[in-house]
Amino acid sequence: NVYNSSNTGNITSNNTSAATKYAITYVAGVLGASAADNKSVHVEGCENRGKISVGGETNGVYMAGVIGYGSSADVTAHFENHKNYGEIELAANANVHGVLNVGGISGRTNSCAVYNSHNYGTINLLAGSLGSGTIDIGGVAAYNIYASTKTSYRIENCTNNAPINVGISRPEGVAHTFRVGGIAGYAQAALYYDKNYGKITISGNLNTNGKRATADNDYKDGSYVIAGIVGYKTEGGIYGGENHGDIEVSATVKELSTKTISQLRVAGIVGYLSTDLKESGSIVSDGDITISGTFDCEVMVGGNIGLTYASQTTDRSMADIIISGQLNGGLHAGGVIGLCYKGTNVVEFDGSITVTEDATIGTACYIGGCVARAQAHGSTAYTDKVYRNRGNILFAGTSTASDTVISGCIG
């Protein structure tokens, strides 16, 4: 256990030896790695003010302001009351051959709750070369999972207050997954009352050779999810959350095969949701979303949710959504939800959706003030509820899609 510890020194890892491409790098301001699979881990009241930087050759990176990697099998394990003020950087000369987990507070946590922790340090990822490993970036906790028998783990009352800037390029012909969230990139733990105030900026060449899996809802390869709270959410629910940070994606996603079907999902709250969204607290986003660049993949944009297979209690978005560039793989743009496969009780939109004159939409185009597209999935019926749109929609672009559907409530 670690209590009330602090770091003010800068920490840099920059091993350029080719031999290190087979090794994992754990870097953090307070605790690099802790693996106590049969014991409880408590890390409380720690603070980092030093810059954390990783460059050079490595097989994988777990880096964060406070805890790089933490693992436990005890239900009482937790990280609590932490603050990070230091910049977290993946340097331009970094060559990461495998997994990349970067968080403001924690990089990867296995069966560990994160409570009352706050990030104030900018996250900058400028890596020149990344391999086939999964990329997870979170303003608080990059990657969070829990044992199947434990359901008490949470990310609760946490905030991100700093920008997340990602400007990376992936090599062609490599299948990979890319998940970014203002709070978490990937999370199984339940999220309670977390808030993001930091702007998220994504640029670079996100080439893909990913394949769509057999299951309709499984895009593990060639998947890009970016959201104000959590990129990819499974298992435990979301019980309140607010996003006040803008999201800008100005990237290139290049499909390298006619058989590949990848997706870009961008949203104010959660990019991909397969668990329930609860209303025990406010769930709202007023951060603006801007999409530009060239995308051969499907693009799904929602003021709150990009793609969901789960039930929602109440969703409200006040985001201004602006779409430009070349979207060759099609567009689903909803003021609140991009593509919805299951019912929701109340959906309200008070922002705007603008498709600019320089936008070209191919394949399919669905735009809705509340939900871009709603449909049943398998044996699960879609249950319509209440939709309230008070926002304006402007389509000034060019659509070469076989279907172009625009509506005030549901496309």
Side-chain angles (χ1 to χ4, degrees), residues 273 275-278 308-313 315 342-344 383:
L273 179 68
T275 186
D276 291 345
L277 195 67
K278 306 293 186 180
T308 178
Y309 289 83
S311 297
Q312 299 87 46
T313 302
D315 289 294
K342 199 171 181 180
T344 184
T383 55

Side-chain angles (χ1 to χ4, degrees), residues 306-368:
L307 170 67
T308 178
Y309 289 83
S311 297
Q312 299 87 46
T313 302
T314 298
D315 289 294
R316 186 183 181 204
S317 172
M318 295 173 282
D320 291 326
I321 299 172
I322 301 172
I323 309 292
S324 62
Q326 191 168 346
L327 284 69
N328 300 320
L331 171 68
H332 290 74
V336 181
I337 303 173
L339 178 58
C340 185
Y341 283 109
K342 199 171 181 180
T344 184
N345 288 335
V346 180
V347 175
E348 297 184 81
F349 182 53
D350 293 284
S352 66
I353 302 174
T354 302
V355 179
T356 66
E357 293 181 356
D358 63 348
T360 302
I361 315 298
T363 308
C365 180
Y366 293 87
I367 299 173

Side-chain angles (χ1 to χ4, degrees), residues 64-393:
V66 179
I67 304 149
Y69 179 99
S71 177
S72 177
D74 189 287
V75 294
T76 65
H78 63 271
F79 304 141
E80 186 171 4
N81 296 329
H82 301 304
K83 293 181 180 179
N84 173 60
Y85 296 92
E87 177 188 354
I88 301 172
E89 175 193 68
L90 189 70
N93 74 327
N95 189 1
V96 183
H97 298 270
V99 67
L100 175 63
N101 289 171
V102 182
I105 300 298
S106 62
R108 174 169 177 147
T109 53
N110 297 346
S111 298
C112 296
V114 183
Y115 297 124
N116 304 318
S117 295
H118 310 283
N119 177 55
Y120 301 91
T122 300
I123 298 176
N124 289 315
L125 275 72
L126 308 170
S129 180
L130 297 173
S132 59
T134 297
I135 297 175
D136 287 291
I137 304 161
V140 173
Y143 184 93
N144 180 285
I145 62 173
Y146 60 75
S148 59
T149 58
K150 309 293 192 303
T151 58
S152 60
Y153 301 112
R154 300 180 176 187
I155 302 174
E156 183 172 354
N157 288 327
C158 295
T159 64
N160 175 55
N161 306 277
I164 299 174
N165 303 311
V166 182
I168 59 177
S169 295
R170 302 297 295 263
E172 294 187 358
V174 176
H176 52 270
T177 298
F178 178 90
R179 302 177 292 217
V180 181
I183 299 298
Y186 175 90
Q188 287 184 343
L191 274 65
Y192 282 77
Y193 322 124
D194 301 303
K195 297 179 182 180
N196 174 57
Y197 298 93
K199 181 178 180 179
I200 299 174
T201 303
I202 310 293
S203 62
N205 297 315
L206 305 177
N207 296 310
T208 181
N209 197 28
K211 301 185 293 295
R212 182 174 183 172
T214 302
D216 287 343
N217 64 339
D218 193 351
Y219 285 81
K220 292 183 178 178
D221 291 335
S223 170
Y224 309 90
V225 285
I226 302 150
I229 298 297
V230 55
Y232 196 102
K233 185 73 182 78
T234 63
E235 307 300 332
I238 301 177
Y239 300 81
E242 298 181 15
N243 174 55
H244 304 288
D246 295 343
I247 300 174
E248 292 186 4
V249 180
S250 57
T252 298
V253 177
K254 181 181 179 183
E255 296 280 355
L256 302 176
S257 168
T258 57
K259 296 181 180 180
T260 63
I261 309 176
S262 64
Q263 291 185 336
L264 170 69
R265 310 166 194 145
V266 184
I269 298 294
V270 52
Y272 173 92
L273 179 68
S274 64
T275 186
D276 291 345
L277 195 67
K278 306 293 186 180
E279 196 199 5
S280 58
S282 173
I283 297 176
V284 64
S285 177
D286 58 12
D288 297 338
I289 299 174
T290 304
I291 307 293
S292 64
T294 301
F295 305 94
D296 290 344
C297 64
E298 295 177 281
V299 176
M300 296 183 177
V301 184
N304 280 10
I305 304 171
L307 170 67
T308 178
Y309 289 83
S311 297
Q312 299 87 46
T313 302
T314 298
D315 289 294
R316 186 183 181 204
S317 172
M318 295 173 282
D320 291 326
I321 299 172
I322 301 172
I323 309 292
S324 62
Q326 191 168 346
L327 284 69
N328 300 320
L331 171 68
H332 290 74
V336 181
I337 303 173
L339 178 58
C340 185
Y341 283 109
K342 199 171 181 180
T344 184
N345 288 335
V346 180
V347 175
E348 297 184 81
F349 182 53
D350 293 284
S352 66
I353 302 174
T354 302
V355 179
T356 66
E357 293 181 356
D358 63 348
T360 302
I361 315 298
T363 308
C365 180
Y366 293 87
I367 299 173
C370 292
V371 179
R373 189 178 182 186
Q375 65 184 65
H377 173 64
S379 61
T380 302
Y382 183 89
T383 55
D384 293 328
K385 298 295 182 180
V386 177
Y387 302 91
R388 302 188 183 108
N389 173 47
R390 293 176 286 268
N392 295 327
I393 300 173

Side-chain angles (χ1 to χ4, degrees), residues 11 13 23-28 31-34 54 58 60-64 68-70:
I11 301 172
S13 174
I24 303 295
T25 302
Y26 304 86
V27 181
L31 180 62
S34 174
V54 172
T58 180
V61 174
Y62 300 94
M63 64 184 299
Y69 179 99

